[in-house]
Amino acid sequence: MNLLCESNQMTDYLTESDIIDFSHPAIQAAAQRIKREYDDEQTIVKAAFEFVRDEIDHSWDIQGSLVTRTASEVLQHRQGICYAKSNLLAALLRSLSVPTGFCYQKLTLGDTPDTGYCIHALNAVYLSSLERWIRLDVHGNKEGVQAEFSTTEEKLAFPIRSHYEEIDYPVIYAEPNAKTMDTLANNTDVLTMYLNRLPTDL
């Protein structure tokens, strides 16, 4: 897929916000631990990706109830849905001066279209060593879901099934989609939100 940047300014993919709150001491500590252990761009990005993918639970997978939104909340509570987990990866990498954005897919909520549709969040990361963006999916691996760090081919959690009218959106956004963030802000129970209140389009 040919990815398209929403902004031509790379600095837009490095900014902090109330959601991507990378100045938070816990975010800084986690980022610096990664930086101390790994010394080149690709291994740093891979380590940050695998940390969020593996060490932060997807709220639905653990049948949690707490809704997290900001990067620091996700890190503190060690859980979040894809919208929240992508915020944490963006915060960690932006704090390490790695440009990071947000991409989206439209997927069936369950296995088939009769279950309805939802928007799924990914990250896009700019690797200066390769002079290009790659997409990463921190959803969390489980049976039937195997997302990996790769610079040669995309290994995302959910391949698009066009015959089910699923969509892979090509735009790399500098900030998380407003609908997804409003959903997290306006709900207090993950299970009810996940089944009934996720946005179905951008």
Side-chain angles (χ1 to χ4, degrees), residues 51-71:
F51 170 73
V52 180
R53 183 194 66 185
D54 300 340
E55 301 299 326
I56 307 298
D57 291 319
H58 189 285
S59 301
W60 175 260
D61 290 345
I62 62 169
Q63 293 291 281
S65 60
L66 181 68
V67 178
T68 56
R69 180 169 173 263
T70 69

Side-chain angles (χ1 to χ4, degrees), residues 104-117:
Y104 297 93
Q105 296 173 322
K106 181 176 182 177
L107 305 173
T108 60
L109 188 58
D111 292 329
T112 53
D114 60 280
T115 59
Y117 291 87

